[in-house]
Each structure stands twice: as C-alpha cells, then as structure tokens.
C-alpha cells in the first residue's frame, strides 16, 4: 500500500454535503460521478496527495443506504492506493484478511477497487485502489 488514496464519507444528501465541504475545504469538488453498480453518487475533493470522497445512496438497497440507516452519516471507509491490486489482494488473503470481492471491480474516479471486510481489519472497511491506466495483472 503506497498511501491513503481517499477517505470515504457517507452522506444523506450529496448536494448539501458538497456545499458544507466546499466551505470547510475552501474548494469545490473536482469530480462528481455515479457508480451504478454500487448504488451511489460520489464527489471528490483533492487534499494534497489524498482525497475526500462523499458518497450518497441512489437506492435503499445500496451499501451506503444500509450504512447510514445503521450508523448515520460519517466515515465509511479508508482507501489505500496500490500498484498491483490483484497481488495485494492475494497477499492480504494469505495474511488472513477476508475479501468482500474475489476480483477487482470498477470503482469511481477511474479506479479498480476491492474491499476488505471490517471484521478482519479492526472494524474499519478498507478499500484497495489501483489506477485503471495500470493494466490488471
């Protein structure tokens, strides 16, 4: 893992949260995007080498809707940048971490992503991110 790629924050209303974070961070999001496969709309704010990702559910069955119903708005996950997501998934699986998906899937912000179950990571949902410009090996 190279660095914290972003911190994901679950929000009830993306438009309202964008206004709040624009005021807080002094800048607008550089990107908004729908990830239909995850049932979310996202926006990204750059913060030096890392980012803040705001996530709003687009349907009641999405992981973000379930998270907010159970825990309320707030930090949802920490994402780490990796150079080779498949190799990192294999390494972590051998170390005893439970993967929530067996192969990388398309995520927001032009990334391949995979998640680790929080029950094996001290209660924190971990996301691995690899730039899609780097070929999957």
């Amino acid at each position: 893992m190279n660095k914290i790629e972003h911190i994901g924050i679950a929000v009830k209303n993306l438009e309202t949260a964008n206004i709040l974070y624009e005021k807080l961070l002094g800048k607008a999001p550089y990107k908004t995007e729908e990830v239909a496969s995850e049932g979310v709309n996202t926006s990204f704010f750059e913060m030096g080498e890392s980012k803040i990702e705001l996530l709003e559910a687009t349907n009641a069955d999405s992981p973000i809707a379930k998270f907010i119903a159970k825990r309320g708005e707030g930090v949802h996950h920490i994402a780490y940048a990796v150079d080779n997501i498949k190799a990192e998934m294999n390494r972590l699986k051998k170390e005893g971490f439970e993967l929530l998906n067996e192969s990388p899937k398309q995520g927001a912000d032009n990334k391949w992503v995979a998640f680790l179950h929080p029950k094996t990571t001290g209660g924190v949902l971990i996301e691995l991110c690899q730039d899609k410009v780097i070929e999957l090996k």
Side-chain angles (χ1 to χ4, degrees), residues 45-62:
F45 291 82
E46 287 184 305
M47 297 296 307
E49 289 188 17
S50 298
K51 304 170 201 157
I52 300 292
E53 177 188 30
L54 303 180
L55 302 119
E56 170 195 61
T58 58
N59 63 67
D61 293 331
S62 79

PDB file of all heavy atoms in Angstrom, residues 45-62:
ATOM      1  N   PHE A  45     -12.968  15.577  -3.483  1.00  0.00           N
ATOM      2  CA  PHE A  45     -12.226  16.785  -3.158  1.00  0.00           C
ATOM      3  C   PHE A  45     -10.757  16.410  -3.007  1.00  0.00           C
ATOM      4  O   PHE A  45     -10.440  15.463  -2.275  1.00  0.00           O
ATOM      5  CB  PHE A  45     -12.709  17.375  -1.820  1.00  0.00           C
ATOM      6  CG  PHE A  45     -14.091  17.937  -1.856  1.00  0.00           C
ATOM      7  CD1 PHE A  45     -15.200  17.107  -1.721  1.00  0.00           C
ATOM      8  CD2 PHE A  45     -14.302  19.296  -2.003  1.00  0.00           C
ATOM      9  CE1 PHE A  45     -16.483  17.625  -1.734  1.00  0.00           C
ATOM     10  CE2 PHE A  45     -15.581  19.824  -2.021  1.00  0.00           C
ATOM     11  CZ  PHE A  45     -16.675  18.991  -1.886  1.00  0.00           C
ATOM     12  N   GLU A  46      -9.868  17.128  -3.693  1.00  0.00           N
ATOM     13  CA  GLU A  46      -8.432  16.871  -3.538  1.00  0.00           C
ATOM     14  C   GLU A  46      -7.924  17.545  -2.270  1.00  0.00           C
ATOM     15  O   GLU A  46      -8.296  18.665  -1.957  1.00  0.00           O
ATOM     16  CB  GLU A  46      -7.657  17.397  -4.743  1.00  0.00           C
ATOM     17  CG  GLU A  46      -7.866  16.552  -5.975  1.00  0.00           C
ATOM     18  CD  GLU A  46      -7.041  17.010  -7.151  1.00  0.00           C
ATOM     19  OE1 GLU A  46      -7.144  18.187  -7.513  1.00  0.00           O
ATOM     20  OE2 GLU A  46      -6.312  16.172  -7.691  1.00  0.00           O
ATOM     21  N   MET A  47      -7.063  16.799  -1.562  1.00  0.00           N
ATOM     22  CA  MET A  47      -6.447  17.298  -0.340  1.00  0.00           C
ATOM     23  C   MET A  47      -4.973  16.898  -0.366  1.00  0.00           C
ATOM     24  O   MET A  47      -4.608  15.853   0.173  1.00  0.00           O
ATOM     25  CB  MET A  47      -7.121  16.681   0.899  1.00  0.00           C
ATOM     26  CG  MET A  47      -8.582  17.024   1.058  1.00  0.00           C
ATOM     27  SD  MET A  47      -8.878  18.757   1.309  1.00  0.00           S
ATOM     28  CE  MET A  47      -7.809  19.122   2.667  1.00  0.00           C
ATOM     29  N   GLY A  48      -4.133  17.673  -1.047  1.00  0.00           N
ATOM     30  CA  GLY A  48      -2.737  17.294  -1.199  1.00  0.00           C
ATOM     31  C   GLY A  48      -2.641  16.024  -2.020  1.00  0.00           C
ATOM     32  O   GLY A  48      -3.193  15.934  -3.110  1.00  0.00           O
ATOM     33  N   GLU A  49      -1.987  14.992  -1.471  1.00  0.00           N
ATOM     34  CA  GLU A  49      -1.852  13.726  -2.182  1.00  0.00           C
ATOM     35  C   GLU A  49      -3.046  12.801  -1.979  1.00  0.00           C
ATOM     36  O   GLU A  49      -3.133  11.769  -2.616  1.00  0.00           O
ATOM     37  CB  GLU A  49      -0.582  13.007  -1.721  1.00  0.00           C
ATOM     38  CG  GLU A  49       0.689  13.656  -2.196  1.00  0.00           C
ATOM     39  CD  GLU A  49       1.903  12.801  -1.893  1.00  0.00           C
ATOM     40  OE1 GLU A  49       1.745  11.592  -1.618  1.00  0.00           O
ATOM     41  OE2 GLU A  49       3.008  13.347  -1.929  1.00  0.00           O
ATOM     42  N   SER A  50      -3.944  13.159  -1.075  1.00  0.00           N
ATOM     43  CA  SER A  50      -5.110  12.325  -0.779  1.00  0.00           C
ATOM     44  C   SER A  50      -6.389  13.046  -1.197  1.00  0.00           C
ATOM     45  O   SER A  50      -6.352  14.187  -1.643  1.00  0.00           O
ATOM     46  CB  SER A  50      -5.156  11.986   0.718  1.00  0.00           C
ATOM     47  OG  SER A  50      -4.022  11.257   1.092  1.00  0.00           O
ATOM     48  N   LYS A  51      -7.503  12.349  -1.019  1.00  0.00           N
ATOM     49  CA  LYS A  51      -8.795  12.903  -1.417  1.00  0.00           C
ATOM     50  C   LYS A  51      -9.843  12.584  -0.354  1.00  0.00           C
ATOM     51  O   LYS A  51      -9.670  11.674   0.449  1.00  0.00           O
ATOM     52  CB  LYS A  51      -9.254  12.291  -2.741  1.00  0.00           C
ATOM     53  CG  LYS A  51      -8.279  12.449  -3.872  1.00  0.00           C
ATOM     54  CD  LYS A  51      -8.717  11.600  -5.052  1.00  0.00           C
ATOM     55  CE  LYS A  51      -7.536  11.357  -5.953  1.00  0.00           C
ATOM     56  NZ  LYS A  51      -7.705  10.172  -6.769  1.00  0.00           N
ATOM     57  N   ILE A  52     -10.915  13.333  -0.416  1.00  0.00           N
ATOM     58  CA  ILE A  52     -12.130  13.040   0.342  1.00  0.00           C
ATOM     59  C   ILE A  52     -13.176  12.648  -0.687  1.00  0.00           C
ATOM     60  O   ILE A  52     -13.378  13.349  -1.678  1.00  0.00           O
ATOM     61  CB  ILE A  52     -12.625  14.270   1.139  1.00  0.00           C
ATOM     62  CG1 ILE A  52     -11.583  14.754   2.140  1.00  0.00           C
ATOM     63  CG2 ILE A  52     -13.966  13.986   1.804  1.00  0.00           C
ATOM     64  CD1 ILE A  52     -11.316  13.806   3.285  1.00  0.00           C
ATOM     65  N   GLU A  53     -13.826  11.501  -0.465  1.00  0.00           N
ATOM     66  CA  GLU A  53     -14.906  11.052  -1.338  1.00  0.00           C
ATOM     67  C   GLU A  53     -16.203  11.094  -0.536  1.00  0.00           C
ATOM     68  O   GLU A  53     -16.310  10.463   0.513  1.00  0.00           O
ATOM     69  CB  GLU A  53     -14.657   9.621  -1.816  1.00  0.00           C
ATOM     70  CG  GLU A  53     -15.790   9.068  -2.666  1.00  0.00           C
ATOM     71  CD  GLU A  53     -15.647   7.586  -2.983  1.00  0.00           C
ATOM     72  OE1 GLU A  53     -15.057   6.839  -2.163  1.00  0.00           O
ATOM     73  OE2 GLU A  53     -16.141   7.165  -4.039  1.00  0.00           O
ATOM     74  N   LEU A  54     -17.178  11.846  -1.025  1.00  0.00           N
ATOM     75  CA  LEU A  54     -18.508  11.859  -0.423  1.00  0.00           C
ATOM     76  C   LEU A  54     -19.372  10.873  -1.191  1.00  0.00           C
ATOM     77  O   LEU A  54     -19.333  10.838  -2.425  1.00  0.00           O
ATOM     78  CB  LEU A  54     -19.112  13.265  -0.478  1.00  0.00           C
ATOM     79  CG  LEU A  54     -18.295  14.373   0.172  1.00  0.00           C
ATOM     80  CD1 LEU A  54     -19.027  15.713   0.036  1.00  0.00           C
ATOM     81  CD2 LEU A  54     -18.002  14.066   1.637  1.00  0.00           C
ATOM     82  N   LEU A  55     -20.148  10.066  -0.458  1.00  0.00           N
ATOM     83  CA  LEU A  55     -20.966   9.011  -1.074  1.00  0.00           C
ATOM     84  C   LEU A  55     -22.422   9.150  -0.657  1.00  0.00           C
ATOM     85  O   LEU A  55     -22.727   9.146   0.538  1.00  0.00           O
ATOM     86  CB  LEU A  55     -20.457   7.638  -0.627  1.00  0.00           C
ATOM     87  CG  LEU A  55     -19.009   7.333  -0.939  1.00  0.00           C
ATOM     88  CD1 LEU A  55     -18.242   7.081   0.333  1.00  0.00           C
ATOM     89  CD2 LEU A  55     -18.912   6.162  -1.858  1.00  0.00           C
ATOM     90  N   GLU A  56     -23.300   9.267  -1.637  1.00  0.00           N
ATOM     91  CA  GLU A  56     -24.744   9.349  -1.409  1.00  0.00           C
ATOM     92  C   GLU A  56     -25.409   8.144  -2.066  1.00  0.00           C
ATOM     93  O   GLU A  56     -25.137   7.840  -3.235  1.00  0.00           O
ATOM     94  CB  GLU A  56     -25.278  10.644  -2.039  1.00  0.00           C
ATOM     95  CG  GLU A  56     -26.794  10.730  -2.075  1.00  0.00           C
ATOM     96  CD  GLU A  56     -27.264  11.824  -3.008  1.00  0.00           C
ATOM     97  OE1 GLU A  56     -26.960  11.761  -4.229  1.00  0.00           O
ATOM     98  OE2 GLU A  56     -27.947  12.733  -2.522  1.00  0.00           O
ATOM     99  N   ALA A  57     -26.280   7.466  -1.335  1.00  0.00           N
ATOM    100  CA  ALA A  57     -27.003   6.317  -1.880  1.00  0.00           C
ATOM    101  C   ALA A  57     -27.974   6.760  -2.968  1.00  0.00           C
ATOM    102  O   ALA A  57     -28.611   7.805  -2.856  1.00  0.00           O
ATOM    103  CB  ALA A  57     -27.762   5.614  -0.769  1.00  0.00           C
ATOM    104  N   THR A  58     -28.093   5.931  -4.006  1.00  0.00           N
ATOM    105  CA  THR A  58     -29.081   6.197  -5.055  1.00  0.00           C
ATOM    106  C   THR A  58     -30.286   5.270  -4.943  1.00  0.00           C
ATOM    107  O   THR A  58     -31.256   5.442  -5.654  1.00  0.00           O
ATOM    108  CB  THR A  58     -28.455   6.048  -6.465  1.00  0.00           C
ATOM    109  OG1 THR A  58     -27.927   4.730  -6.603  1.00  0.00           O
ATOM    110  CG2 THR A  58     -27.377   7.087  -6.703  1.00  0.00           C
ATOM    111  N   ASN A  59     -30.191   4.281  -4.039  1.00  0.00           N
ATOM    112  CA  ASN A  59     -31.344   3.407  -3.793  1.00  0.00           C
ATOM    113  C   ASN A  59     -31.241   2.850  -2.370  1.00  0.00           C
ATOM    114  O   ASN A  59     -30.164   2.854  -1.759  1.00  0.00           O
ATOM    115  CB  ASN A  59     -31.431   2.285  -4.830  1.00  0.00           C
ATOM    116  CG  ASN A  59     -30.243   1.359  -4.798  1.00  0.00           C
ATOM    117  OD1 ASN A  59     -30.044   0.634  -3.814  1.00  0.00           O
ATOM    118  ND2 ASN A  59     -29.449   1.352  -5.855  1.00  0.00           N
ATOM    119  N   ALA A  60     -32.348   2.382  -1.855  1.00  0.00           N
ATOM    120  CA  ALA A  60     -32.426   1.920  -0.465  1.00  0.00           C
ATOM    121  C   ALA A  60     -31.643   0.639  -0.202  1.00  0.00           C
ATOM    122  O   ALA A  60     -31.355   0.321   0.953  1.00  0.00           O
ATOM    123  CB  ALA A  60     -33.889   1.730  -0.068  1.00  0.00           C
ATOM    124  N   ASP A  61     -31.271  -0.102  -1.242  1.00  0.00           N
ATOM    125  CA  ASP A  61     -30.531  -1.347  -1.069  1.00  0.00           C
ATOM    126  C   ASP A  61     -29.016  -1.183  -1.169  1.00  0.00           C
ATOM    127  O   ASP A  61     -28.277  -2.150  -1.010  1.00  0.00           O
ATOM    128  CB  ASP A  61     -30.976  -2.376  -2.118  1.00  0.00           C
ATOM    129  CG  ASP A  61     -32.403  -2.833  -1.901  1.00  0.00           C
ATOM    130  OD1 ASP A  61     -32.857  -2.822  -0.743  1.00  0.00           O
ATOM    131  OD2 ASP A  61     -33.059  -3.190  -2.893  1.00  0.00           O
ATOM    132  N   SER A  62     -28.550   0.028  -1.437  1.00  0.00           N
ATOM    133  CA  SER A  62     -27.111   0.232  -1.623  1.00  0.00           C
ATOM    134  C   SER A  62     -26.380   0.118  -0.280  1.00  0.00           C
ATOM    135  O   SER A  62     -26.958   0.359   0.784  1.00  0.00           O
ATOM    136  CB  SER A  62     -26.830   1.599  -2.243  1.00  0.00           C
ATOM    137  OG  SER A  62     -26.902   2.611  -1.268  1.00  0.00           O
TER     138      SER A  62
END
